[in-house]
Amino acid sequence: MFSYQKRLQYPINIKSKNIEMAKLLVTQYGGSNGELSAALRYLNQRYTMPDDRGKALLTDIGTEELAHVEMISTMIYQLLKDATVEEIKAAGLDPHYAEHKRALYPTDANGVPFTVAYFATTGDPLADLSEDMAAEEKARAVYENLIDLTDDEDIRGPLLWLRQREIVHFARFKELYDMYKKELKK
Amino acid sequence: MNNFNDFMYSNVPGMMTDPNMNTFDNDFMVGNSQNMNQNMNQNMDHLQLFDSYQGYMRGNMFQDLYDEYKNYKPQRLVGKDEQQERLLELSEVAFAAHDLNLYLDNFPNDKEAIKKFNEYRQKTNQLMEQYENMYGPLVISSNSLNTTPWAWVSSFPWEVNK
């Protein structure tokens, strides 16, 4: 089961609204390489990992990704909270406003809604862990794109931090992949 | 882009420095690379760990895995009040324990890492209890939930901390 801790894994305190950035950041919530996709991918794949190392790692990284969903969601919420309708229109977020007002909705940066088609499960631990490694690298790349697109340190700080988590997760998945690759052949 | 992420590298030989760097607090300063080794690093035989403060700022406890993007330094986190400072302290050790947790999932026989994990776990539990007694519950199992009104309903982490 899961329980909630009423704190962010890393603090988010965005002082200036920024509708344009909210529109872009949302891809790390509901885009193909985003945190929601990561959480569901790992939490779904963990059941059929071949031993307890894999079950533990996918459970723990999948759970951390839920904390990252919360961080990204918090950023979007804070960026949009005080936006006027005029500002929302000017940023091209009026279609979002029509459907959701200032509420959050998991889409990519083009407004395409989240879908579980963004991830796979094959039941083959090497294939699944390869996907997980690729997912971490793609998320890292998207974080770098987003870091390039902002000069607000309240936004950039958490993005740098989240990018670093992708690097650690990639390394852990790769370690496990390499161990399984050797051991499962025997 | 020069007034952020500036807290740790300024006098370290060979590290990138920022000519427009602002002044910063002494307790964040690193005088030279020897001090850096003593203060920042924790040498386990096989694992080079940052301490929990440096690791948390970076989002990475493992020195060999740390990989900077361009020349961006980690954001310097400073609590605006006592409560935020206490929450940061708790978050640091909780993060350190978590990053070791992920490592240990892959290497469950690493005694040194288990010892380190348990140091951070105990510290986390201790700081969590202290925080909750002062500022209210973070988890539903908290001893601080025996008051009226029901303390769980206040204060959510996505609201801006003024």
mmCIF file of all heavy atoms in Angstrom, chain A residues 100-130:
data_model
loop_
_atom_site.group_PDB
_atom_site.id
_atom_site.type_symbol
_atom_site.label_atom_id
_atom_site.label_comp_id
_atom_site.label_asym_id
_atom_site.label_seq_id
_atom_site.Cartn_x
_atom_site.Cartn_y
_atom_site.Cartn_z
ATOM 1 N N HIS A 100 -10.340 23.292 -18.508
ATOM 2 C CA HIS A 100 -9.893 22.999 -17.140
ATOM 3 C C HIS A 100 -9.716 24.223 -16.253
ATOM 4 O O HIS A 100 -9.245 24.083 -15.119
ATOM 5 C CB HIS A 100 -8.534 22.277 -17.178
ATOM 6 C CG HIS A 100 -8.434 21.194 -18.198
ATOM 7 N ND1 HIS A 100 -9.138 20.020 -18.093
ATOM 8 C CD2 HIS A 100 -7.716 21.103 -19.358
ATOM 9 C CE1 HIS A 100 -8.848 19.238 -19.142
ATOM 10 N NE2 HIS A 100 -7.999 19.880 -19.924
ATOM 11 N N LYS A 101 -9.983 25.415 -16.763
ATOM 12 C CA LYS A 101 -9.699 26.641 -16.000
ATOM 13 C C LYS A 101 -8.224 26.625 -15.586
ATOM 14 O O LYS A 101 -7.366 26.403 -16.429
ATOM 15 C CB LYS A 101 -10.640 26.759 -14.804
ATOM 16 C CG LYS A 101 -10.929 28.195 -14.417
ATOM 17 C CD LYS A 101 -12.077 28.260 -13.422
ATOM 18 C CE LYS A 101 -12.399 29.705 -13.073
ATOM 19 N NZ LYS A 101 -13.553 29.766 -12.155
ATOM 20 N N ARG A 102 -7.937 26.820 -14.291
ATOM 21 C CA ARG A 102 -6.528 26.773 -13.855
ATOM 22 C C ARG A 102 -6.160 25.436 -13.225
ATOM 23 O O ARG A 102 -5.100 25.291 -12.620
ATOM 24 C CB ARG A 102 -6.231 27.911 -12.878
ATOM 25 C CG ARG A 102 -6.225 29.297 -13.521
ATOM 26 C CD ARG A 102 -6.018 30.393 -12.508
ATOM 27 N NE ARG A 102 -6.298 31.693 -13.097
ATOM 28 C CZ ARG A 102 -7.525 32.182 -13.291
ATOM 29 N NH1 ARG A 102 -8.585 31.470 -12.933
ATOM 30 N NH2 ARG A 102 -7.687 33.373 -13.860
ATOM 31 N N ALA A 103 -7.029 24.464 -13.393
ATOM 32 C CA ALA A 103 -6.735 23.148 -12.815
ATOM 33 C C ALA A 103 -5.677 22.429 -13.637
ATOM 34 O O ALA A 103 -5.429 22.766 -14.793
ATOM 35 C CB ALA A 103 -8.014 22.314 -12.774
ATOM 36 N N LEU A 104 -5.072 21.428 -13.004
ATOM 37 C CA LEU A 104 -4.049 20.658 -13.697
ATOM 38 C C LEU A 104 -4.693 19.549 -14.528
ATOM 39 O O LEU A 104 -5.728 19.009 -14.162
ATOM 40 C CB LEU A 104 -3.081 20.021 -12.693
ATOM 41 C CG LEU A 104 -1.947 20.940 -12.232
ATOM 42 C CD1 LEU A 104 -2.438 21.946 -11.238
ATOM 43 C CD2 LEU A 104 -0.795 20.123 -11.698
ATOM 44 N N TYR A 105 -4.041 19.237 -15.641
ATOM 45 C CA TYR A 105 -4.466 18.101 -16.453
ATOM 46 C C TYR A 105 -3.224 17.546 -17.134
ATOM 47 O O TYR A 105 -2.440 18.302 -17.713
ATOM 48 C CB TYR A 105 -5.494 18.544 -17.498
ATOM 49 C CG TYR A 105 -6.181 17.384 -18.173
ATOM 50 C CD1 TYR A 105 -7.052 16.563 -17.463
ATOM 51 C CD2 TYR A 105 -5.948 17.102 -19.520
ATOM 52 C CE1 TYR A 105 -7.670 15.492 -18.078
ATOM 53 C CE2 TYR A 105 -6.571 16.034 -20.143
ATOM 54 C CZ TYR A 105 -7.435 15.222 -19.413
ATOM 55 O OH TYR A 105 -8.041 14.161 -20.028
ATOM 56 N N PRO A 106 -3.007 16.225 -17.049
ATOM 57 C CA PRO A 106 -1.768 15.669 -17.596
ATOM 58 C C PRO A 106 -1.773 15.587 -19.123
ATOM 59 O O PRO A 106 -2.445 14.743 -19.708
ATOM 60 C CB PRO A 106 -1.688 14.265 -16.960
ATOM 61 C CG PRO A 106 -3.094 13.917 -16.609
ATOM 62 C CD PRO A 106 -3.822 15.205 -16.346
ATOM 63 N N THR A 107 -1.032 16.485 -19.735
ATOM 64 C CA THR A 107 -0.869 16.493 -21.193
ATOM 65 C C THR A 107 0.618 16.688 -21.491
ATOM 66 O O THR A 107 1.408 16.934 -20.589
ATOM 67 C CB THR A 107 -1.622 17.658 -21.853
ATOM 68 O OG1 THR A 107 -0.971 18.893 -21.513
ATOM 69 C CG2 THR A 107 -3.074 17.717 -21.422
ATOM 70 N N ASP A 108 0.967 16.607 -22.758
ATOM 71 C CA ASP A 108 2.317 17.034 -23.128
ATOM 72 C C ASP A 108 2.299 18.529 -23.443
ATOM 73 O O ASP A 108 1.266 19.201 -23.276
ATOM 74 C CB ASP A 108 2.882 16.170 -24.271
ATOM 75 C CG ASP A 108 2.213 16.427 -25.610
ATOM 76 O OD1 ASP A 108 1.377 17.362 -25.726
ATOM 77 O OD2 ASP A 108 2.527 15.678 -26.567
ATOM 78 N N ALA A 109 3.417 19.074 -23.914
ATOM 79 C CA ALA A 109 3.506 20.522 -24.134
ATOM 80 C C ALA A 109 2.620 20.977 -25.292
ATOM 81 O O ALA A 109 2.320 22.159 -25.440
ATOM 82 C CB ALA A 109 4.961 20.925 -24.386
ATOM 83 N N ASN A 110 2.173 20.026 -26.126
ATOM 84 C CA ASN A 110 1.252 20.354 -27.216
ATOM 85 C C ASN A 110 -0.211 20.183 -26.818
ATOM 86 O O ASN A 110 -1.091 20.316 -27.664
ATOM 87 C CB ASN A 110 1.559 19.465 -28.431
ATOM 88 C CG ASN A 110 2.961 19.726 -28.970
ATOM 89 O OD1 ASN A 110 3.294 20.861 -29.298
ATOM 90 N ND2 ASN A 110 3.784 18.690 -29.027
ATOM 91 N N GLY A 111 -0.453 19.846 -25.567
ATOM 92 C CA GLY A 111 -1.823 19.671 -25.102
ATOM 93 C C GLY A 111 -2.395 18.283 -25.341
ATOM 94 O O GLY A 111 -3.565 18.026 -25.066
ATOM 95 N N VAL A 112 -1.568 17.363 -25.829
ATOM 96 C CA VAL A 112 -2.046 15.986 -26.083
ATOM 97 C C VAL A 112 -2.174 15.255 -24.748
ATOM 98 O O VAL A 112 -1.202 15.171 -23.988
ATOM 99 C CB VAL A 112 -1.055 15.222 -27.004
ATOM 100 C CG1 VAL A 112 -1.539 13.796 -27.238
ATOM 101 C CG2 VAL A 112 -0.865 15.969 -28.312
ATOM 102 N N PRO A 113 -3.369 14.734 -24.455
ATOM 103 C CA PRO A 113 -3.585 14.107 -23.143
ATOM 104 C C PRO A 113 -2.701 12.887 -22.910
ATOM 105 O O PRO A 113 -2.329 12.187 -23.846
ATOM 106 C CB PRO A 113 -5.052 13.674 -23.182
ATOM 107 C CG PRO A 113 -5.669 14.489 -24.252
ATOM 108 C CD PRO A 113 -4.596 14.750 -25.263
ATOM 109 N N PHE A 114 -2.430 12.642 -21.630
ATOM 110 C CA PHE A 114 -1.623 11.485 -21.227
ATOM 111 C C PHE A 114 -2.283 10.185 -21.689
ATOM 112 O O PHE A 114 -3.498 10.056 -21.697
ATOM 113 C CB PHE A 114 -1.494 11.463 -19.699
ATOM 114 C CG PHE A 114 -0.723 10.276 -19.205
ATOM 115 C CD1 PHE A 114 0.657 10.251 -19.307
ATOM 116 C CD2 PHE A 114 -1.378 9.165 -18.680
ATOM 117 C CE1 PHE A 114 1.379 9.147 -18.874
ATOM 118 C CE2 PHE A 114 -0.658 8.056 -18.241
ATOM 119 C CZ PHE A 114 0.717 8.049 -18.336
ATOM 120 N N THR A 115 -1.458 9.233 -22.067
ATOM 121 C CA THR A 115 -1.957 7.905 -22.400
ATOM 122 C C THR A 115 -0.974 6.842 -21.921
ATOM 123 O O THR A 115 0.249 7.073 -21.934
ATOM 124 C CB THR A 115 -2.164 7.734 -23.917
ATOM 125 O OG1 THR A 115 -2.276 6.332 -24.223
ATOM 126 C CG2 THR A 115 -1.012 8.321 -24.723
ATOM 127 N N VAL A 116 -1.486 5.688 -21.504
ATOM 128 C CA VAL A 116 -0.605 4.603 -21.075
ATOM 129 C C VAL A 116 0.127 3.972 -22.260
ATOM 130 O O VAL A 116 1.031 3.159 -22.067
ATOM 131 C CB VAL A 116 -1.341 3.502 -20.281
ATOM 132 C CG1 VAL A 116 -1.729 4.012 -18.911
ATOM 133 C CG2 VAL A 116 -2.533 2.968 -21.047
ATOM 134 N N ALA A 117 -0.242 4.372 -23.485
ATOM 135 C CA ALA A 117 0.515 3.916 -24.651
ATOM 136 C C ALA A 117 1.946 4.450 -24.633
ATOM 137 O O ALA A 117 2.787 4.012 -25.407
ATOM 138 C CB ALA A 117 -0.186 4.345 -25.942
ATOM 139 N N TYR A 118 2.226 5.392 -23.717
ATOM 140 C CA TYR A 118 3.596 5.918 -23.595
ATOM 141 C C TYR A 118 4.568 4.904 -23.008
ATOM 142 O O TYR A 118 5.766 5.102 -23.053
ATOM 143 C CB TYR A 118 3.610 7.167 -22.709
ATOM 144 C CG TYR A 118 3.001 8.392 -23.336
ATOM 145 C CD1 TYR A 118 2.406 9.364 -22.537
ATOM 146 C CD2 TYR A 118 3.031 8.596 -24.719
ATOM 147 C CE1 TYR A 118 1.847 10.504 -23.092
ATOM 148 C CE2 TYR A 118 2.479 9.730 -25.276
ATOM 149 C CZ TYR A 118 1.882 10.682 -24.460
ATOM 150 O OH TYR A 118 1.340 11.808 -25.010
ATOM 151 N N PHE A 119 4.067 3.849 -22.382
ATOM 152 C CA PHE A 119 5.019 2.876 -21.840
ATOM 153 C C PHE A 119 4.593 1.458 -22.175
ATOM 154 O O PHE A 119 3.472 1.222 -22.627
ATOM 155 C CB PHE A 119 5.238 3.067 -20.336
ATOM 156 C CG PHE A 119 4.010 2.859 -19.487
ATOM 157 C CD1 PHE A 119 3.672 1.586 -19.031
ATOM 158 C CD2 PHE A 119 3.220 3.932 -19.121
ATOM 159 C CE1 PHE A 119 2.560 1.398 -18.231
ATOM 160 C CE2 PHE A 119 2.103 3.757 -18.324
ATOM 161 C CZ PHE A 119 1.768 2.481 -17.886
ATOM 162 N N ALA A 120 5.523 0.546 -21.970
ATOM 163 C CA ALA A 120 5.299 -0.849 -22.331
ATOM 164 C C ALA A 120 5.637 -1.763 -21.164
ATOM 165 O O ALA A 120 6.241 -1.338 -20.181
ATOM 166 C CB ALA A 120 6.151 -1.219 -23.535
ATOM 167 N N THR A 121 5.216 -2.998 -21.268
ATOM 168 C CA THR A 121 5.702 -4.076 -20.403
ATOM 169 C C THR A 121 5.778 -5.308 -21.291
ATOM 170 O O THR A 121 4.825 -5.595 -22.010
ATOM 171 C CB THR A 121 4.708 -4.445 -19.279
ATOM 172 O OG1 THR A 121 4.184 -3.265 -18.725
ATOM 173 C CG2 THR A 121 5.391 -5.257 -18.213
ATOM 174 N N THR A 122 6.891 -5.989 -21.238
ATOM 175 C CA THR A 122 6.994 -7.199 -22.047
ATOM 176 C C THR A 122 7.005 -8.447 -21.192
ATOM 177 O O THR A 122 6.828 -9.554 -21.696
ATOM 178 C CB THR A 122 8.308 -7.202 -22.862
ATOM 179 O OG1 THR A 122 9.403 -7.227 -21.951
ATOM 180 C CG2 THR A 122 8.392 -5.961 -23.742
ATOM 181 N N GLY A 123 7.264 -8.280 -19.870
ATOM 182 C CA GLY A 123 7.461 -9.449 -19.016
ATOM 183 C C GLY A 123 8.880 -9.977 -19.090
ATOM 184 O O GLY A 123 9.246 -10.881 -18.350
ATOM 185 N N ASP A 124 9.667 -9.419 -19.981
ATOM 186 C CA ASP A 124 11.082 -9.790 -20.099
ATOM 187 C C ASP A 124 11.889 -8.732 -19.349
ATOM 188 O O ASP A 124 11.893 -7.566 -19.743
ATOM 189 C CB ASP A 124 11.459 -9.832 -21.587
ATOM 190 C CG ASP A 124 12.929 -10.179 -21.814
ATOM 191 O OD1 ASP A 124 13.792 -9.641 -21.074
ATOM 192 O OD2 ASP A 124 13.212 -10.960 -22.738
ATOM 193 N N PRO A 125 12.578 -9.122 -18.282
ATOM 194 C CA PRO A 125 13.237 -8.103 -17.453
ATOM 195 C C PRO A 125 14.286 -7.295 -18.211
ATOM 196 O O PRO A 125 14.451 -6.102 -17.928
ATOM 197 C CB PRO A 125 13.871 -8.906 -16.314
ATOM 198 C CG PRO A 125 13.859 -10.324 -16.758
ATOM 199 C CD PRO A 125 12.726 -10.477 -17.716
ATOM 200 N N LEU A 126 14.993 -7.920 -19.138
ATOM 201 C CA LEU A 126 16.014 -7.169 -19.877
ATOM 202 C C LEU A 126 15.359 -6.160 -20.811
ATOM 203 O O LEU A 126 15.808 -5.014 -20.917
ATOM 204 C CB LEU A 126 16.921 -8.127 -20.664
ATOM 205 C CG LEU A 126 17.782 -9.053 -19.801
ATOM 206 C CD1 LEU A 126 18.610 -9.983 -20.677
ATOM 207 C CD2 LEU A 126 18.690 -8.262 -18.867
ATOM 208 N N ALA A 127 14.300 -6.572 -21.469
ATOM 209 C CA ALA A 127 13.587 -5.638 -22.350
ATOM 210 C C ALA A 127 12.965 -4.509 -21.533
ATOM 211 O O ALA A 127 13.061 -3.328 -21.896
ATOM 212 C CB ALA A 127 12.512 -6.387 -23.138
ATOM 213 N N ASP A 128 12.343 -4.857 -20.403
ATOM 214 C CA ASP A 128 11.699 -3.826 -19.574
ATOM 215 C C ASP A 128 12.730 -2.853 -18.994
ATOM 216 O O ASP A 128 12.521 -1.641 -18.995
ATOM 217 C CB ASP A 128 10.887 -4.481 -18.450
ATOM 218 C CG ASP A 128 9.595 -5.111 -18.972
ATOM 219 O OD1 ASP A 128 9.304 -4.942 -20.176
ATOM 220 O OD2 ASP A 128 8.891 -5.759 -18.181
ATOM 221 N N LEU A 129 13.849 -3.389 -18.497
ATOM 222 C CA LEU A 129 14.865 -2.499 -17.918
ATOM 223 C C LEU A 129 15.531 -1.634 -18.990
ATOM 224 O O LEU A 129 15.916 -0.500 -18.713
ATOM 225 C CB LEU A 129 15.912 -3.306 -17.138
ATOM 226 C CG LEU A 129 15.431 -3.834 -15.781
ATOM 227 C CD1 LEU A 129 16.421 -4.838 -15.208
ATOM 228 C CD2 LEU A 129 15.192 -2.689 -14.792
ATOM 229 N N SER A 130 15.643 -2.152 -20.211
ATOM 230 C CA SER A 130 16.168 -1.318 -21.310
ATOM 231 C C SER A 130 15.238 -0.148 -21.564
ATOM 232 O O SER A 130 15.687 0.978 -21.788
ATOM 233 C CB SER A 130 16.293 -2.124 -22.603
ATOM 234 O OG SER A 130 17.147 -3.206 -22.436
#
